[in-house]
Amino acid sequence: MSVGNALTRVALLIALTISNMAVPIRAAADCSFSSAAQNITITVQSCEAIDGRTNEYVLKYAGGSLANPTIQKLYTGALVTADRGAKWMYPSTDAHPCKKFPKSAQVKMKAYLTCCDSGPWGKCVFGGKWLGDVDGKPVDAFQ
């Protein structure tokens, strides 16, 4: 290998490393978690009751999968924002799903995660983070 060829390879490696560091963290895939639900405690910053059939953001990003009744049910309930800004979807048929999530309350729930390595679509509209009751029916978080 010539010196010029080696220098070119080193320069390309440095450029690739720098460009990968410039990728925003949320654009990187986070699929290293276990598929099993975990008990967590979140501190509620805010809660918004949403309907998956009418919410603009869900309609924009769920696309064709919104025709699926399961997706409509998953995006109907409480959209909870935790104290550090993470958004969690709590599927519910309750007319007032946010009553479980008063502002500043610490709430113990089961966390279910969807691998969202390709952007907001399907079960990744709000980042693929789902909440379920500790003793309730599991949420199917698979994409």
Side-chain angles (χ1 to χ4, degrees), residues 77-89:
L79 179 60
V80 180
T81 303
D83 60 343
R84 293 192 176 111
K87 293 201 179 291
W88 294 86
M89 189 66 215

Side-chain angles (χ1 to χ4, degrees), residues 48-56 58-59 72 75-77 89:
E48 175 187 356
I50 68 169
D51 185 329
R53 297 167 298 175
T54 58
N55 180 274
E56 287 182 33
V58 173
L59 291 172
Q72 291 176 3
Y75 285 117
T76 297
M89 189 66 215

Side-chain angles (χ1 to χ4, degrees), residues 53-119:
R53 297 167 298 175
T54 58
N55 180 274
E56 287 182 33
Y57 201 78
V58 173
L59 291 172
K60 180 177 179 181
Y61 289 106
S65 60
L66 193 58
N68 181 332
T70 301
I71 296 290
Q72 291 176 3
K73 288 179 186 176
L74 283 172
Y75 285 117
T76 297
L79 179 60
V80 180
T81 303
D83 60 343
R84 293 192 176 111
K87 293 201 179 291
W88 294 86
M89 189 66 215
Y90 175 74
S92 175
T93 57
D94 191 327
H96 304 285
C98 287
K99 67 184 174 194
K100 286 189 171 198
F101 305 99
K103 186 175 176 73
S104 301
Q106 289 194 326
V107 181
K108 186 173 183 175
M109 303 295 286
K110 283 261 192 210
Y112 301 88
L113 303 173
T114 301
C115 178
C116 293
D117 59 354
S118 59

Side-chain angles (χ1 to χ4, degrees), residues 1 38 41 46 65 77 81 92 98 101 103 105 119 124 130 133 138:
M1 178 185 325
Q38 301 290 319
T41 301
S46 65
S65 60
T81 303
S92 175
C98 287
F101 305 99
K103 186 175 176 73
C124 291
W130 303 89
D133 295 318

